[in-house]
Amino acid sequence: MIKTDVVDVIAKELYDAEKNKTAVDKFVDQYPELDEALAYQIQDRLVEMKEEAEQTKRVGWKLGLTSKAKQEMMGVHEPSYGVLLESMQLNEGEPISISPFIHAKAEPEIAFVLNKELKGPHVSVADVLAATAYVAPAIEIIDSRFYGFKFTLADAVSDNSSSSKFMIGERFYNPENVDLRLMGFVYRQNGEVAATGAGAAVMGHPARAVAWLANKLYQVGKSLKPGEVILSGSLSAALEIKPGDQFTASFDGIGFVQAVFTE
Ligand code: OOG
Ligand code: MG
C-alpha cells in the first residue's frame, strides 16, 4: 500500500473504533512501515476527520509519557504529543458519563495556557515560563482505541496519544508565583491517596515538557500559538475509571480539580 493510503486506512479504523466503542489490534504488526513520522501524519488525519464530523476546532496540545511513572506503565520510553479539540473539554464540576469510553483512565496533569508564540528548535524552560499566561490543575481522561491499552509509541501516536477528554480547574495562577518543579501534588481516588509527588515528576520540570513539544513541532514546521492550552502529561500512573468514581488532583499553591463519573 502506498503511504497516503496507509494514513487514510489507519485513521479511519481509529475513528470508527472510537465511534463504535470497539477496540482494535495494534497496527505495527500489520503495517511494518508504521514509524513515528508516519504515525504523526495519521494523527493529523484523524484529528481532521474529527474536526469535520464534530464541527469543532483545535484548542491546544497534550503531552504523553513525560513521567517515569507513565513510561514504565506503558513500556514506552519517550514522550509523545496529541491534539486537543474544543469538543474534548469538560467544564469543571460537570459529571462525566463513562458510556462513550472503551476503558478510560484518569490522570493528574498541569495545564499551561500561553500568551505568546513558542517556536523551536531552541525553546527552553525559561522561554516557556515567559510565554505562559497561567497554569491550572487538570485531569486528563485517556482512552486507548487498542485492546488492553497495549501499543507501541507509533500506535499510540496514531491514536492521538490516547486522548479523549480533559478538565481544567477554573482558577488560574501566574506561573511566577509557584515553583512548578517543587510544587507538591496529591492524587486521590474516592478520597484515598493514590499517588503523591512533585511537579519535577514531569521531565524534571513541567515546563520542560512544553519546551520539548515546541522543539518537536518545529521539525514538522509547526509552533505553539498564543491562547493554546497544553497539558503537561500525567505526573503519576493513570487510574482506571468505574462509575461513581471521584478523582481529585491537588497541587500546592494552585488548588485542585475534581472529576466525578457516572454510568
Ligand atoms: C498514552 C498517552 C499518555 C500521559 O499523560 O502520559 C498520556 C497512553 O498512555 O495511553 O496521556
Ligand atoms: Mg495524559
Side-chain angles (χ1 to χ4, degrees):
M1 230 188 269
I2 58 168
K3 273 196 174 169
T4 49
D5 291 339
V6 176
V7 169
D8 286 343
V9 167
I10 296 182
K12 176 82 167 66
E13 275 206 48
L14 288 166
Y15 180 87
D16 290 343
E18 177 170 4
K19 207 167 133 205
N20 305 329
K21 272 182 69 168
T22 46
V24 293
D25 278 320
K26 59 185 165 71
F27 293 110
V28 284
D29 309 322
Q30 201 184 334
Y31 302 96
E33 67 272 49
L34 180 56
D35 60 5
E36 194 189 300
L38 192 63
Y40 278 112
Q41 289 180 41
I42 296 166
Q43 177 185 113
D44 210 44
R45 182 78 200 98
L46 174 63
V47 171
E48 270 172 20
M49 289 172 70
K50 288 200 203 184
E51 277 181 287
E52 231 175 81
E54 295 169 17
Q55 288 293 301
T56 187
K57 62 180 175 76
R58 298 174 190 235
V59 292
W61 305 88
K62 61 160 285 181
L63 275 301
L65 310 170
T66 51
S67 63
K68 223 184 175 98
K70 277 292 304 189
Q71 292 191 350
E72 279 173 2
M73 183 175 187
M74 305 320 295
V76 173
H77 297 281
E78 44 188 316
S80 62
Y81 65 82
V83 175
L84 298 177
L85 294 169
E86 195 173 40
S87 56
M88 298 174 181
Q89 183 153 14
L90 302 161
N91 296 317
E92 185 175 7
E94 135 182 32
I96 309 159
S97 165
I98 63 160
S99 70
F101 307 131
I102 301 173
H103 42 201
K105 298 181 186 181
E107 304 182 317
E109 308 211 6
I110 298 163
F112 288 74
V113 178
L114 303 181
N115 56 9
K116 294 193 188 71
E117 187 186 25
L118 280 171
K119 192 169 180 184
H122 301 298
V123 173
S124 66
V125 166
D127 296 332
V128 172
L129 294 176
T132 300
Y134 53 81
V135 292
I139 290 180
E140 189 190 17
I141 296 137
I142 54 168
D143 194 21
S144 177
R145 268 55 67 175
F146 297 109
Y147 284 118
F149 256 94
K150 294 269 181 290
F151 46 66
T152 65
L153 183 71
D155 289 298
V157 164
S158 308
D159 190 24
N160 198 20
S161 293
S162 311
S163 67
S164 181
K165 299 277 177 194
F166 66 101
M167 181 182 279
I168 296 178
E170 288 162 1
R171 289 160 307 280
F172 305 110
Y173 297 83
N174 186 328
E176 279 172 20
N177 299 336
V178 282
D179 182 341
L180 291 173
R181 229 171 13 135
L182 298 181
M183 181 174 76
F185 79 90
V186 179
Y187 186 38
R188 287 193 183 82
Q189 180 176 22
N190 304 326
E192 252 179 69
V193 175
T196 58
V202 165
M203 296 175 85
H205 193 308
R208 187 161 293 120
V210 181
W212 177 89
L213 174 62
N215 295 330
K216 184 89 176 167
L217 286 174
Y218 176 79
Q219 297 173 3
V220 287
K222 293 180 186 171
S223 63
L224 300 177
K225 299 287 189 317
E228 285 185 337
V229 39
I230 294 138
L231 296 181
S232 65
S234 185
L235 284 80
S236 71
L239 299 177
E240 254 169 61
I241 302 168
K242 299 179 302 304
D245 273 350
Q246 168 193 324
F247 296 87
T248 312
S250 316
F251 296 88
D252 192 20
I254 66 166
F256 68 90
V257 65
Q258 189 171 68
V260 178
F261 294 87
T262 61
E263 287 285 345

